[in-house]
Amino acid sequence: MSEQSAKAQIGVTGLAVMGRNLARNLARHGFPVALHNRSAEKTRSLVADHGDEGTFIPSESLEDFVASLAKPRAIIIMVKAGDPTDAVINDLIPLLDENDIIIDCGNAHFDDTRRREHALKEHGLHFVGSGVSGGEEGALLGPSIMPGGSKESYEKLGPMFEAIAAQVDGTPCCIHIGPDGAGHFVKMVHNGIEYADMQLIAEAYDLLREGLGITPAEIADIFREWNEGDLESFLIELTADVLAHVDAETGKPFVDIVLDQAEQKGTGRWTVQSALDLGIPITGIAEATFARSLSGHADQREAARAAFPSISTGEAWAANDRDAFVEDVRRALYASKVVAYAQGFDQIQAGSEQYGWDVDPGAIAMIWRGGCIIRARFLNRIHEAYEKNPQLTSLMVDPYFAEVVTSGADSWRRVVADAARTGVPTPAFSSSLAYFDALRRNRLPAALIQGLRDNFGAHTYLRVDKPGSFHTYWATDDKSEAPA
């Protein structure tokens, strides 16, 4: 056996849960894996616990780790995003040779990935920012993988990543997304959609509980039933599990003993910030992100409860027809989910155009069908929509999704109206409905906004009857108009 063939095909530095499981997944699929961690104990622990799963080549120093890899080297970094990632990259650069590949599989901001890719190119190195979705279980058993970077780097990484990715109908949930930051951008939007999906599910739960006065366990049964139909998804399945769970210590429903303050790691905020920069209205994702923020302001919420005791919070709500109400909530949830995904895909396409990535939205839907957190039955429908019409202006106007939204509109309105009447907050349901109505409205009040901007700041306006920009001299008696 040659010295080169005896070396590892890929390395992983950073052996916390995600890095550890990715390394094991690679080894299980027959790829010799070099291992390194700042604390050597984690390296030794992985080999001791799982050394029989494949070929591991552990090293305690970064120099030995790099030396244990076959050229061109491929090194996965699985450390905390930000400065720690930069520190590892800077330590690796002097140890590497031209055409070696550094892969960041963490949740990095795509702008950081673009910066790093440009900087490493100056050293003759490839840098790949790769989204990995599926959590620790997905990392071990098959995640959805979204690698960016150069086509040359994917020629080496593709066979390995496609082998360890989730497989759906014989197709790996991994493709080359596009150059520089494309992979991390798509993963960011994936997480934004995930925020919206979870908020919508939480609102559906809240509506069912307040509107019907039923227990979490009974609502779990409803979600299990929903998971047999068009709403089938990983998150709906998990929701049923969480709602059915009973706290061992108190005997109460688990959901009732959990503090109602949701945390976030930042990808939702990044998604909203990016959408603002791109001019893409992702209202459902934004409201989901803000809802998490509001939940964490415990002092403001306590003060508001004391200041507004007369505001109903749903106690008086009682839906007359249980089955009809459950069906209304189901239809409203599905329609709102369509809006969230449509807005996310709008953002992906806008980012692709802005940065020249040439991302294929239909292919993105395919790799999200398995492994990732937002995997769902209707991703097949999204793929089909873009296959039929690659120039689709909005996912919502595809015939299938247009029918879903149109047929669910009356239910959607009843649910949002009942929630508003009884004081149950539904920011994601409500904003999604408003987005749908704004898209289909013949004329929007933006005409008045144009007039106001021109009046106070001479910002000009456009007319419906002739081309060009115009300004009205509002301070004059005749309010004369002139081309701008």
Side-chain angles (χ1 to χ4, degrees):
M1 182 181 295
S2 69
E3 179 183 349
Q4 187 76 350
S5 63
K7 293 190 174 184
Q9 286 182 253
I10 191 164
V12 179
T13 180
L15 299 176
V17 175
M18 284 292 290
R20 181 184 181 97
N21 283 0
L22 270 180
R24 291 174 60 197
N25 193 350
L26 285 158
R28 286 177 171 188
H29 282 84
F31 304 108
V33 183
L35 301 175
H36 173 264
N37 193 76
R38 187 175 59 179
S39 165
E41 179 54 37
K42 285 190 175 180
T43 308
R44 290 191 289 268
S45 170
L46 192 160
V47 175
D49 294 342
H50 306 289
D52 59 349
E53 294 182 340
T55 301
F56 295 110
I57 304 175
S59 297
E60 295 197 3
S61 73
L62 204 58
E63 291 80 4
D64 289 345
F65 170 68
V66 170
S68 71
L69 285 155
K71 297 180 182 180
R73 304 176 181 94
I75 297 173
I76 294 174
I77 298 175
M78 290 298 293
V79 299
K80 189 175 180 181
D83 291 343
T85 298
D86 282 323
V88 173
I89 291 170
N90 290 335
D91 287 343
L92 282 170
I93 287 173
L95 304 176
L96 299 179
D97 297 320
E98 188 173 354
N99 290 323
D100 286 350
I101 308 165
I102 298 177
I103 311 110
D104 177 9
C105 286
N107 273 334
H109 194 287
F110 75 96
D111 272 337
D112 285 340
T113 301
R114 299 185 75 217
R115 168 179 59 80
R116 290 164 181 153
E117 195 267 351
H118 179 76
L120 266 68
K121 191 178 293 183
E122 298 294 316
H123 294 275
L125 303 172
H126 295 282
F127 184 76
V128 173
S130 181
V132 177
S133 180
E136 59 186 80
E137 181 177 320
L140 179 62
L141 302 179
S144 175
I145 308 178
M146 295 153 260
S150 65
K151 290 181 179 178
E152 293 83 357
S153 62
Y154 194 76
E155 288 176 5
K156 178 176 177 67
L157 297 177
M160 290 187 281
F161 280 4
E162 290 174 18
I164 69 168
Q167 311 287 317
V168 177
D169 299 330
T171 301
C173 293
C174 173
I175 59 166
H176 180 231
I177 303 296
D180 61 69
H184 274 147
F185 183 90
V186 167
K187 176 56 163 59
M188 175 192 74
V189 176
H190 165 285
N191 285 21
I193 295 172
E194 180 185 308
Y195 273 53
D197 214 341
M198 285 193 283
Q199 177 65 26
L200 290 167
I201 288 170
E203 289 179 17
Y205 150 75
D206 202 19
L207 288 163
L208 292 170
R209 193 162 190 186
E210 294 293 345
L212 298 176
I214 57 179
T215 66
E218 291 173 298
I219 301 172
D221 289 337
I222 292 172
F223 273 90
R224 287 196 184 96
E225 184 177 341
W226 286 354
N227 203 45
E228 298 297 318
D230 290 334
L231 279 172
E232 180 192 347
S233 71
F234 180 58
L235 284 172
I236 294 288
E237 178 186 343
L238 291 190
T239 300
D241 289 343
V242 171
L243 291 176
H245 185 54
V246 174
D247 177 54
E249 184 176 337
T250 63
K252 296 179 179 179
F254 172 77
V255 73
D256 287 347
I257 59 93
V258 176
L259 188 67
D260 61 340
Q261 298 176 25
E263 296 184 358
Q264 53 185 304
K265 291 187 176 180
T267 47
R269 287 196 299 270
W270 293 349
T271 309
V272 176
Q273 290 162 352
S274 166
L276 290 170
D277 291 338
L278 292 168
I280 301 299
I282 55 165
T283 52
I285 296 171
E287 286 296 346
T289 306
F290 292 138
R292 290 200 194 185
S293 297
L294 188 151
S295 76
H297 287 277
D299 53 344
Q300 290 184 338
R301 293 172 59 198
E302 183 178 358
R305 286 193 295 271
F308 309 118
S310 62
I311 299 295
S312 169
T313 56
E315 291 90 340
W317 190 4
N320 295 323
D321 186 329
R322 181 188 187 279
D323 291 343
F325 181 72
V326 169
E327 178 61 10
D328 276 350
V329 175
R330 186 194 70 81
R331 286 174 174 266
L333 174 58
Y334 196 20
S336 298
K337 280 166 69 78
V338 170
V339 170
Y341 281 75
Q343 292 177 346
F345 275 87
D346 286 347
Q347 184 172 359
I348 288 172
Q349 290 182 289
S352 179
E353 292 172 10
Q354 174 73 20
Y355 300 109
W357 289 330
D358 195 26
V359 175
D360 180 350
I364 299 302
M366 288 289 280
I367 67 169
W368 285 352
R369 295 181 306 156
C372 73
I373 303 301
I374 63 171
R375 58 187 184 266
R377 175 186 291 187
F378 85 151
L379 282 161
N380 283 311
R381 298 283 193 177
I382 296 176
H383 171 69
E384 291 167 6
Y386 285 111
E387 280 285 293
K388 287 186 296 184
N389 183 5
Q391 307 306 317
L392 198 60
T393 56
S394 167
L395 190 61
M396 293 181 66
V397 303
D398 170 77
Y400 171 79
F401 291 109
E403 170 60 23
V404 167
V405 175
T406 302
S407 64
D410 288 345
S411 294
W412 209 356
R413 296 188 196 287
R414 282 192 292 269
V415 165
V416 169
D418 283 346
R421 176 176 54 82
T422 53
V424 175
T426 56
F429 272 38
S430 302
S431 65
S432 298
L433 178 59
Y435 176 83
F436 165 65
D437 284 334
L439 276 185
R440 57 189 288 274
R441 186 79 181 276
N442 186 44
R443 272 184 67 79
L444 294 170
L448 176 58
I449 294 172
Q450 279 211 78
L452 291 170
R453 292 181 74 247
D454 188 60
N455 191 323
F456 70 68
H459 292 295
T460 75
Y461 53 88
L462 306 177
R463 296 179 59 99
V464 299
D465 54 355
K466 52 187 173 182
S469 298
F470 298 87
H471 169 59
T472 292
Y473 295 98
W474 298 96
T476 62
D477 289 338
D478 62 352
K479 293 183 172 53
S480 58
E481 177 185 87

